[in-house]
Amino acid sequence: MSNVLMMYSNAFVIHRISHIAELVLEGGAGPTVRRSFSEEGYFAMVVQLSLLIYTHELSSLTGALVRASEQRTKDSAEYVAPPRYEALKGTLRAIREQTCGFMWELTISAVEKKLYSSLASMDGSLYTIRTIPQNVLQALLDAFTAIQHLPEHTHLQISSATGLPTIVVWAHHILGLSVKVHVDGESHVFGDELATVYIDGDYRGPPKVALLNETDDPFFQLLKKREDPVLVPVCRHPIRDYGTRMYRLTHEDRETERTLVYLIVTSCMTVAQYPDKNGRDLPEEPNPFPTVQRVLSVSRLLFSSNEDVIDGIDVRSTLVCVEKKVRNVDQLLTLKIKNDHNLQQLLLAYKKLVMRLIHITFVLCMVQGVEDDLSLYIAVLPETQYTHFGEDSSADMTFKVPDAENAFYSLSLLLLGPVERHSLGDTSVVSAWGWSLCLGSVACQDPSDAGTSLAFMRGVPARNGERKHYIVDGAWSLRKEALAYDYAKHSRLDISHRPGDQCILSSWTRVKDRRYYIGVKDDTFEVANILDYDDPAVNAKDKGRADHDSSFSCGFRSMQEVCWRVRHAPPCQHPATPGQSSLVLPENVFAFRGVGRPQLEIYKPDAVLAALVAGDPSARWILMATMVYAWRASWPKQEMAPPQEHIVCLRSRGCCFECAVRYAQRCKRGTPVGLVL
């Protein structure tokens, strides 16, 4: 492992966060690992803790180590203050991030393959089998040191059905001790035949451990106590073949596996081909469905061991027209198997797993370049944390195709593992294990580039050498209520072009300055983009007044949420360069400049209100937010009731003026449509 750690001996910048000079995604070693290269004892500690962190959830491992230290202090004649929980957790997290390049999975899997001939030989599943019981962990912290110093006079006897692979890797592969394991009626030796660590894996009682001398008299013995904390397991797997791994954690029938893969992939293909039959309304839908080819590409990644099954699917015959009554995936699955009794029984037994894997397939379809870097590992979660993965609380488990917001939450759980942070409502970047999950708004300037896609990027958010694991919206960021209040005070919009006028694709609202607020809180960076702009709709005499402050603040999450709520006019084949593309405005289409409230006269059910902000990315963000949130708050109630969802369209940079207006006209639902040019 030392060679791998040496590769990370220097910190390096991998990605820059937006255009904020001092905020980056940073990889490589931080102070914790760099210190280990100059101190031999510290290096040994880092390596051992790296293994334990890989197989145990961070918070539960921290609690277990703190309790072990407290117990050691009680039994010691000399008082030594145990480590504080938060300080130790921070150190463990730093080790996890800075040593994630080492592939513990290869060594642990090799040990598991040697120990267990089948799932039936385990007490539990591959998910739980790596977890070391608390009393065993406490004993190992001292016993391994004693054996290393007195190998001829001490040996360790462990009786436990769980934790065997982790203990073997710790004792043999890291410390160089010889280990003998008895499991499933067979003995397995790692190292010399004369072992100093003996493990009885067939023992089914409460786990126990004893350090013995050469005459088998105990130096100490630790039994499991009722009050011992329970360590939560962590099971991570490469994203390649992840779907197959989920099945094989608890099942071994390969024929069933192949049938389920076929059922999952063909169901996803059908939903992608006929999205209007599954609870969505296109083309106005702001979260578009993936294409059939995208589904096939992601499926080959998730089920690579069954790639021949996917390649054997006849796409044309699979994509048959679905009956109009089918409104969700649950009904689709029922329709596909209605004439096959065997498939009906299979789905009844594996329905939760099928729903989860369909959900994960659609979620990964939203990640840019997910197939490009196969070194990404994601977690296999505990049963309780899969509850929203394609399921709801209803009895028939109706499946809902995930939107981008739901996808971000699901992928955050898969990256973090057993979740430490439950609220992600203001979060734009989630980081763990040396990777960061980022919203599209983090890496782009123009809103049309943010879209609905997500991205996994290497590195951890850092600023001036300080690393954090979340980026959230700062206190000054966009809030819907505040935005609605602020812009209700502004003057009315400056209608510059009316139906019949020749209008050029251009921008009248210019952002003068773009600043950033960056704060630090706990394990997060708080970020807000602050845009100062020149609003031509504000009278000269009002400029500079506090109630006419032309300033706009938003965080990356707020910016992305606005993108999730608008319709994206796709690129076209016509010239779309600002200053060149022009249009004679058709009936009920108005072009305006400024950021204020629309006039009552243009609140017509079939009106299109186009903001002239082409070529100014910052102004496009501002107009998107005001249209989505502030306009509805200032709706003229005496004229008509405000809609439940105010429709706003965003012109892609490759879309010409005329095609953008036509797209907006198609999105009308009896209420005015906002169009950001």
Side-chain angles (χ1 to χ4, degrees), residues 102-143:
F102 187 79
M103 296 184 180
W104 287 113
E105 185 65 31
L106 299 178
T107 307
I108 297 173
S109 296
V111 171
E112 288 173 342
K113 187 175 181 179
K114 183 175 181 179
L115 291 179
Y116 304 109
S117 58
S118 66
L119 288 173
S121 64
M122 300 181 185
D123 182 28
S125 70
L126 282 172
Y127 181 77
T128 59
I129 203 66
R130 300 176 179 181
T131 309
I132 302 176
Q134 165 68 28
N135 62 312
V136 177
L137 175 63
Q138 181 175 338
L140 297 182
L141 295 175
D142 292 321

Side-chain angles (χ1 to χ4, degrees), residues 322-591:
V322 181
E323 298 177 19
K324 290 185 177 180
K325 66 180 180 180
V326 177
R327 300 294 297 175
N328 54 59
V329 175
D330 185 75
Q331 294 178 9
L332 173 64
L333 288 170
T334 302
L335 180 67
K336 291 176 72 68
I337 64 174
K338 65 179 182 180
N339 297 321
D340 192 321
H341 178 72
N342 292 332
L343 278 181
Q344 291 174 7
Q345 296 300 314
L346 195 64
L347 183 60
L348 186 64
Y350 295 95
K351 190 169 186 179
K352 283 188 176 182
L353 178 62
V354 169
M355 291 293 193
R356 290 168 188 171
L357 288 173
I358 291 176
H359 177 93
I360 292 173
T361 301
F362 278 114
V363 161
L364 289 178
C365 284
M366 300 183 194
V367 181
Q368 290 181 345
V370 69
E371 308 98 326
D372 297 339
D373 195 333
L374 302 182
S375 63
L376 172 65
Y377 278 62
I378 55 178
V380 180
L381 298 173
E383 182 74 17
T384 55
Q385 292 194 11
Y386 279 118
T387 52
H388 79 290
F389 277 59
E391 305 167 24
D392 62 14
S393 58
S394 61
D396 61 353
M397 286 187 356
T398 301
F399 179 92
K400 181 181 179 182
V401 178
D403 57 20
E405 187 171 7
N406 185 251
F408 180 74
Y409 184 77
S410 298
L411 290 169
S412 296
L413 295 185
L414 293 175
L415 179 63
L416 293 169
V419 71
E420 306 165 35
R421 179 188 176 96
H422 291 275
S423 177
L424 298 171
D426 59 349
T427 306
S428 54
V429 175
V430 175
S431 181
W433 301 91
W435 287 84
S436 291
L437 173 65
C438 305
L439 296 177
S441 58
V442 172
C444 70
Q445 266 195 307
D446 193 275
S448 62
D449 296 331
T452 58
S453 62
L454 311 170
F456 280 113
M457 298 182 180
R458 286 182 177 273
V460 180
R463 181 194 185 202
N464 299 327
E466 182 179 19
R467 297 183 179 184
K468 302 295 180 182
H469 294 86
Y470 301 92
I471 294 180
V472 302
D473 287 2
W476 295 349
S477 295
L478 168 65
R479 293 293 181 267
K480 290 183 286 187
E481 298 80 5
L483 184 67
Y485 175 76
D486 288 343
Y487 287 94
K489 300 182 300 184
H490 279 219
S491 60
R492 298 191 184 279
L493 295 178
D494 179 11
I495 301 298
S496 58
H497 298 80
R498 296 178 178 274
D501 294 345
Q502 180 81 21
C503 186
I504 298 176
L505 192 65
S506 59
S507 176
W508 292 93
T509 303
R510 291 294 177 185
V511 174
K512 299 181 295 184
D513 186 30
R514 183 169 186 169
R515 298 173 283 123
Y516 299 95
Y517 160 80
I518 303 177
V520 179
K521 183 178 180 182
D522 297 329
D523 197 30
T524 66
F525 288 117
E526 293 185 339
V527 178
N529 299 273
I530 305 171
L531 309 175
D532 297 324
Y533 61 92
D534 181 16
D535 187 351
V538 177
N539 296 326
K541 65 178 182 179
D542 292 328
K543 291 184 178 181
R545 287 172 44 186
D547 60 344
H548 283 87
D549 179 26
S550 296
S551 180
F552 176 84
S553 300
C554 58
F556 293 123
R557 177 58 181 253
S558 300
M559 294 161 69
Q560 188 66 56
E561 287 184 351
V562 172
C563 280
W564 288 338
R565 285 162 175 77
V566 302
R567 279 52 171 162
H568 296 259
C572 65
Q573 302 298 319
H574 311 122
T577 305
Q580 298 180 11
S581 180
S582 63
L583 176 69
V584 175
L585 297 185
E587 184 180 0
N588 292 325
V589 176
F590 301 82

Side-chain angles (χ1 to χ4, degrees), residues 225-296:
K225 298 179 181 178
R226 181 175 297 179
E227 63 270 21
D228 282 347
V230 177
L231 278 83
V232 178
V234 169
C235 183
R236 304 186 70 79
H237 191 269
I239 196 166
R240 181 178 176 84
D241 214 26
Y242 176 84
T244 307
R245 172 73 165 186
M246 283 187 65
Y247 171 83
R248 293 181 181 178
L249 282 174
T250 51
H251 304 90
E252 294 183 284
D253 188 346
R254 295 295 181 263
E255 192 58 38
T256 298
E257 175 186 309
R258 293 170 64 84
T259 304
L260 291 177
V261 169
Y262 176 85
L263 190 61
I264 291 166
V265 176
T266 54
S267 297
C268 291
M269 290 167 55
T270 307
V271 172
Q273 181 73 5
Y274 304 106
D276 57 318
K277 302 296 189 295
N278 291 277
R280 294 289 185 85
D281 189 10
L282 298 181
E284 295 87 357
E285 173 57 46
N287 292 295
F289 276 65
T291 63
V292 171
Q293 293 304 316
R294 178 64 176 159
V295 167
L296 287 172

Side-chain angles (χ1 to χ4, degrees), residues 79-93:
Y79 176 79
V80 177
R84 293 181 295 110
Y85 177 87
E86 289 299 332
L88 179 58
K89 185 176 181 181
T91 300
L92 293 178
R93 180 183 280 114

